[in-house]
Amino acid sequence: MFSKSCEYGLRAVIFIAEQSTLQTKVGLKTIASAINSPEAFTAKILQILTRNNIVTSIKGPYGGFMIEEYRLKEITLSEIVQILDGDKIYTGCGLGLKQCDDKSPCPLHFKFIEIRNNLKKMLEENTLHDILFTDTEKNVFWLKT
Amino acid sequence: MFSKSCEYGLRAVIFIAEQSTLQTKVGLKTIASAINSPEAFTAKILQILTRNNIVTSIKGPYGGFMIEEYRLKEITLSEIVQILDGDKIYTGCGLGLKQCDDKSPCPLHFKFIEIRNNLKKMLEENTLHDILFTDTEKNVFWLKT
DNA sequence: CTAATAAAGGATAAAAAGATCCTTTTATAT
DNA sequence: ATATAAAAGGATCTTTTTATCCTTTATTAG
Ligand code: FES
Ligand code: FES
């Protein structure tokens, strides 16, 4: 569904968000080890997310990554996916045709866009805050993998 | 959503199916040009689909690819996707974690599997026959891209 | 039987995605 | 000021995906 970059990115952001609610800034090593991702590659992804104002980075000793409290209710999963994977997933044809619209639908079009739009809706409707506080178990259990 | 192989594969199969309902066998060149895909690459994909009994191939002069009439109501989109892209799309975690089940859900799990299951359901419910004869316009208009 | 045609399959190449390494910049504590 | 810690960024490498080329195998018409 998502690229590896996007998967790591989402995991990293959720982890940083989690720690930010605890007023804790986290460094690259901590993040990579927590979400089980390659360190240098994760660094690249965090650079992109920093440039796009999803996370805030602080250089130097005692530096690290964090997300401002007020941003947690603004940032949606959709934005993160959009930044890392582009919007092919939101607008692209299921069969890979260049055009995808109701005027020139491929044989899968109407069935496919229903799924695609549900995905889009789900990602747009969920902010980081939602993800953190709708987690049924309310823990960091998922980090174990 | 799907890999390029899978996109070409689905397009090829739908095209062959369409032609098969007209009792027409089609060759590689015709297929690749109709669905706008690279010829040699399409050949590889058709080999896989032949090995997996989705399409029937006939070698030699007057040869080509076809799908038996009775198979049109048996073959689902799901099978084709499964053959070409595996089942990561049906069972994989949205965040790329190794395990995905209700017992150790990631923060996206319950929202994600809903989408994933809808996609799976849609692909499983639609046979080639369905795709060909539910096409609102009932033409090959979509081939133009 | 032979020539021609078309798919199968092996080998290779190109492009993209995933991943690593090393140097530079910025900030902090002492 | 200096040493140190951490992110930023450039260069490079690896793996996977996408794509091409060429040889082999099977089939058919004449
Ligand atoms: S045209 Fe193919 S999904 Fe819209
Ligand atoms: S565990 Fe992540 S989607 Fe199921």
Side-chain angles (χ1 to χ4, degrees), chain B residues 91-97 99-102 104-110 112-113 116:
Chain B
T91 62
C93 166
L95 299 181
L97 302 185
Q99 281 285 105
C100 175
D101 52 67
D102 295 2
S104 57
C106 74
L108 256 65
H109 182 76
F110 295 102
F112 182 77
I113 61 171
R116 203 186 60 188

Side-chain angles (χ1 to χ4, degrees), chain B residues 3-5 8 38-41 44 59-62:
Chain B
S3 71
K4 232 80 188 51
S5 294
Y8 294 150
E39 202 176 304
F41 192 43
K44 291 298 179 203
K59 280 185 171 186
Y62 296 79

Side-chain angles (χ1 to χ4, degrees), chain A residues 27-28 44 47 57 59-61 64:
Chain A
L28 174 62
K44 292 297 180 205
Q47 282 174 29
S57 75
K59 280 186 170 185

Side-chain angles (χ1 to χ4, degrees), chain A residues 92-95 99-101 104-106 108-109 112-113 116:
Chain A
C93 166
L95 298 182
Q99 283 284 105
C100 175
D101 52 66
S104 57
C106 75
L108 254 66
H109 182 75
F112 182 78
I113 62 171
R116 203 186 61 188

Side-chain angles (χ1 to χ4, degrees), chain B residues 78 90 115-125:
Chain B
S78 172
Y90 300 136
I115 308 289
R116 203 186 60 188
N117 288 341
N118 284 346
L119 172 65
K120 183 155 182 270
K121 188 153 170 286
M122 185 274 271
L123 296 174
E124 280 170 355
E125 279 174 350

Side-chain angles (χ1 to χ4, degrees), chain B residues 32-94:
Chain B
S33 124
I35 68 172
N36 192 36
S37 65
E39 202 176 304
F41 192 43
T42 305
K44 291 298 179 203
I45 295 163
L46 287 170
Q47 282 174 30
I48 297 170
L49 293 171
T50 301
R51 270 186 245 120
N52 284 274
N53 292 103
I54 299 297
V55 302
T56 303
S57 76
I58 298 111
K59 280 185 171 186
Y62 296 79
F65 298 88
M66 55 159 305
I67 300 176
E68 317 283 350
E69 189 84 23
Y70 79 96
R71 291 286 285 145
L72 294 179
K73 288 189 175 172
E74 292 180 351
I75 301 171
T76 62
L77 298 178
S78 172
E79 288 178 70
I80 300 167
V81 170
Q82 156 84 34
I83 289 165
L84 296 171
D85 277 357
D87 58 7
K88 194 179 162 250
I89 199 156
Y90 300 136
T91 62
C93 166

